[in-house]
Amino acid sequence: MDKIERKIEAIIDAHAKELIEFAEDIYRHPEEGFYEERTAAKVADFLRGLNLKVHTGLARTGVRADWMEQDGPNVTIIGELDAIGCREHPMADSVTGVAHACGHHAQLAAMIGAALALADEEVRASLSGSVSFFAVPAEEYIDARKREKLAREENIGFPGTGKSELIRVGAFDHTDIALTTHVHMVPVEEDLYLGNPSCNGFSSELVIIRGKAAHAAISPWEGVNAVNIAASAMNMIGLMRETFRDDEHVRVHSLVREGGEVLNSVPDKVVMEEKVRAKTLKGIEDAKEKIDRAFDAAAMAFGGKIIRKNLQGYMPVRVRKADSALVEAARDLGATYREVELTDHNNASTDVGDLTHLMPVLNFTFRGFEGSLHGADFRITDTDTAYILPAKMLALTTYKLLRKNAAQAREILREFEPVFDREAYVRYIHSRTE
């Protein structure tokens, strides 16, 4: 380590107790996506205390703090504000049912820990570029009912995901490289997992099945049973599974929101949400077409009707092997680590995938917890590994990217080939949701 790197580590160590208390406070006060008011205010107050320029209210609750006066690439360190629905978790909010069962509170602690170190005057002067600290809303899935409310009452244009809405409104326009982290999402025994494995993206839709009501005992033949249409469609989807390509890692999720109201009447309406995951955009589109055919065919067979509303999903994560800045930082810290292989894949989904289609996203995950992600048994067991080590990783990686005329950052930007710019991305999302 050089002098600046030793100072970065020392600053974070000196504030370890403060970072742990910050994380535990967020853990005790989980909030749902796009409504993380308390969490956002706490993050904003902390960043203002570092004399950073703080912007709030981005995509409703997003908080971005930065300095932009230094020439060179911008590195944006991202933390996620929201919690996940998990009513059985011991720390779940009694009203909303959300809990920090996915470790986002650890991300926020790591982000502000990195901010503490990188905002130091001497450290900041050593960087050939600018740094932003961005607490973003709504990484977890937003269901169709809440999306409608967000669009109608909060003027959220892309209400399915926080990062997508932030892309839409231009909040990432000044970001050259994004730096993200998370608790381990795949089985890894080491302290750190460096790089971005490919992850499934998904498409979602609201499916309204309309039948015809009739007396269930006297004249059921006069009705069209919407529940039977739903059951038939789900059976067909089950039989279709062998047609999904293994290398696309397709997953299909069905949820019945409404399923009839009166038991002695033929149910004339069922409302469902469908989610289709796959490894590529083409794989998502192909699987969604099959799911749509199943519902259309079931409705035709029974004489019913399908009304569907396409909902925005997440794009797949583009695989990215561990950049040298990540590997160097892990080695400097003496952490055990494993690097992403090009064949690694995670069947879960994250809206970080959308960012990977526009900019380089450097990522690592960390241990320090037990239980299952999104489960009632999830909890942090090692605060140093879950809060302090990631803060050091974020800060040291940023320093390595931006030192020496930002040589490593510039090389990454020279090699990166985006799939979309912001305008093309917005057009694509509109084309998939209209």
Side-chain angles (χ1 to χ4, degrees), residues 242-253:
E242 66 180 15
T243 72
F244 299 144
R245 292 178 57 92
D246 291 342
D247 57 1
E248 281 290 355
H249 298 267
V250 175
R251 300 288 188 272
V252 179
H253 314 292

Side-chain angles (χ1 to χ4, degrees), residues 239-310:
L239 293 171
M240 283 180 178
R241 292 181 188 275
E242 66 180 15
T243 72
F244 299 144
R245 292 178 57 92
D246 291 342
D247 57 1
E248 281 290 355
H249 298 267
V250 175
R251 300 288 188 272
V252 179
H253 314 292
S254 302
L255 181 64
V256 177
R257 294 286 184 192
E258 299 177 29
E261 296 182 353
V262 181
L263 188 58
N264 65 338
S265 292
V266 173
D268 65 345
K269 181 181 179 182
V270 170
V271 179
M272 298 182 64
E273 276 189 64
E274 291 289 318
K275 179 188 284 189
V276 180
R277 302 184 197 248
K279 184 178 179 179
T280 67
L281 291 174
K282 185 178 187 304
I284 295 169
E285 292 170 3
D286 289 347
K288 181 182 182 302
E289 181 181 352
K290 292 177 181 178
I291 303 310
D292 288 348
R293 287 205 309 262
F295 278 98
D296 291 342
M300 180 181 294
F302 284 88
K305 181 180 180 182
I306 298 296
I307 303 168
R308 61 173 49 88
K309 180 178 181 181
N310 292 318

